[in-house]
C-alpha cells in the first residue's frame, strides 16, 4: 500500500468491532510479537488538556535526552501527527509500511479490531522498532487515547497525591510525581 491507500484503509476500518473488548487486540499484538510489553508507558488521561500535556511532557523528556514516542488522538492537521518520535511525525512511507504489515497480520490471524485499536497496534510496533527509550534499557510512549479501555498495559501518570487532579495544572502533577521523575532519571 502507498500512503493514500493506507490512510483510506485506516478510515475504512469500523470504529467499533464485535466482539467488544480487547481479545482481538491482544491476539493481534501477540502475532506482532507483543511490542507493547517491551515498551514503557506514561498514560495521560482526563477531561481537558491531554494532548497539550502529552506534547509538553514529550518535549521535556526529549530535551532530557530521551527518544520519546507520542501517540495522540485525534490529529489536528495531518494523520501522521498522531504517531511521533521526538516531535517528528511518522513519515508517509513508514506509515504505509506499518499499516501494510499490521493489516496483513491482522487478516491472516483473523484478529479484526476497531480503527482505534488498529492505529494503536501500528504505533506500538513502530515505537518498538524505532527503539524509543528511556536510558538505555527501557522504552517510553506517551499516550492520549480517545478510549482508555484499550490500555490495560499503561502506567498512570497522575498518581501524584494531588488533592484534586482536575483542579491542578498537569505539569504541576508531573513535577509532584517525584517517583516517576526519579525512575526516569530526571531527579536525584
Amino acid at each position: 500500500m502507498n500512503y493514500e491507500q493506507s490512510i483510506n484503509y485506516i478510515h475504512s476500518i469500523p470504529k467499533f468491532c464485535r466482539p467488544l473488548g480487547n481479545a482481538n487486540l491482544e491476539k493481534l499484538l501477540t502475532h506482532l510479537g507483543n511490542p507493547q510489553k517491551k515498551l514503557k508507558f506514561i498514560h495521560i488521561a482526563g477531561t481537558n488538556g491531554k494532548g497539550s500535556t502529552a506534547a509538553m511532557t514529550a518535549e521535556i523528556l526529549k530535551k532530557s535526552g530521551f527518544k520519546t514516542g507520542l501517540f495522540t488522538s485525534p490529529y489536528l492537521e495531518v494523520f501522521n501527527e498522531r504517531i511521533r518520535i521526538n516531535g517528528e511525525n511518522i513519515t508517509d512511507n513508514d506509515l504505509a509500511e506499518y499499516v501494510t504489515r499490521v493489516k496483513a497480520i491482522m487478516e491472516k490471524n483473523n484478529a479484526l479490531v476497531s480503527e482505534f485499536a488498529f492505529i494503536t497496534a501500528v504505533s506500538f510496533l513502530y515505537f518498538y522498532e524505532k527503539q524509543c527509550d528511556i536510558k538505555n534499557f527501557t522504552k517510553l510512549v506517551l499516550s492520549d487515547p480517545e478510549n482508555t479501555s484499550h490500555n490495560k498495559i499503561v502506567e498512570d501518570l497522575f498518581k501524584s497525591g494531588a488533592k484534586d487532579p482536575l483542579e491542578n495544572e498537569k505539569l504541576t502533577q508531573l513535577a509532584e510525581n517525584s517517583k516517576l521523575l526519579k525512575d526516569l532519571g530526571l531527579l536525584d
Side-chain angles (χ1 to χ4, degrees), residues 108-136:
K108 177 182 176 186
N109 295 288
N110 195 29
L112 303 178
V113 295
S114 69
E115 178 181 343
F116 182 82
F118 181 84
I119 299 163
T120 301
V122 166
S123 70
F124 286 160
L125 187 61
Y126 177 72
F127 291 141
Y128 171 69
E129 290 185 352
K130 296 298 181 180
Q131 302 177 344
C132 291
D133 63 10
I134 300 176
K135 301 182 184 172
N136 293 326

Side-chain angles (χ1 to χ4, degrees), residues 22 133 184:
N22 293 322
D133 63 10
L184 295 175

Side-chain angles (χ1 to χ4, degrees), residues 36-145:
Q36 80 285 359
K37 292 185 178 180
K38 302 164 191 159
L39 297 165
K40 187 167 177 95
F41 293 86
I42 296 173
H43 181 218
I44 299 174
T47 305
N48 296 312
K50 297 178 300 294
S52 57
T53 300
M56 287 185 284
T57 304
E59 188 64 21
I60 290 167
L61 292 169
K62 181 182 106 175
K63 288 191 185 265
S64 298
F66 301 118
K67 187 172 183 181
T68 305
L70 176 62
F71 175 66
T72 59
S73 177
Y75 62 91
L76 298 176
E77 294 179 17
V78 294
F79 183 88
N80 304 48
E81 71 191 50
R82 292 188 65 178
I83 303 171
R84 289 177 265 176
I85 295 177
N86 282 352
E88 298 292 323
N89 295 351
I90 187 172
T91 66
D92 292 355
N93 288 339
D94 278 347
L95 183 64
E97 174 194 334
Y98 281 85
V99 167
T100 300
R101 289 172 55 198
V102 173
K103 176 184 183 282
I105 291 170
M106 180 178 76
E107 290 174 349
K108 177 182 176 186
N109 295 288
N110 195 29
L112 303 178
V113 295
S114 69
E115 178 181 343
F116 182 82
F118 181 84
I119 299 163
T120 301
V122 166
S123 70
F124 286 160
L125 187 61
Y126 177 72
F127 291 141
Y128 171 69
E129 290 185 352
K130 296 298 181 180
Q131 302 177 344
C132 291
D133 63 10
I134 300 176
K135 301 182 184 172
N136 293 326
F137 57 89
T138 59
K139 280 60 173 164
L140 171 72
V141 175
L142 298 177
S143 174
D144 174 21

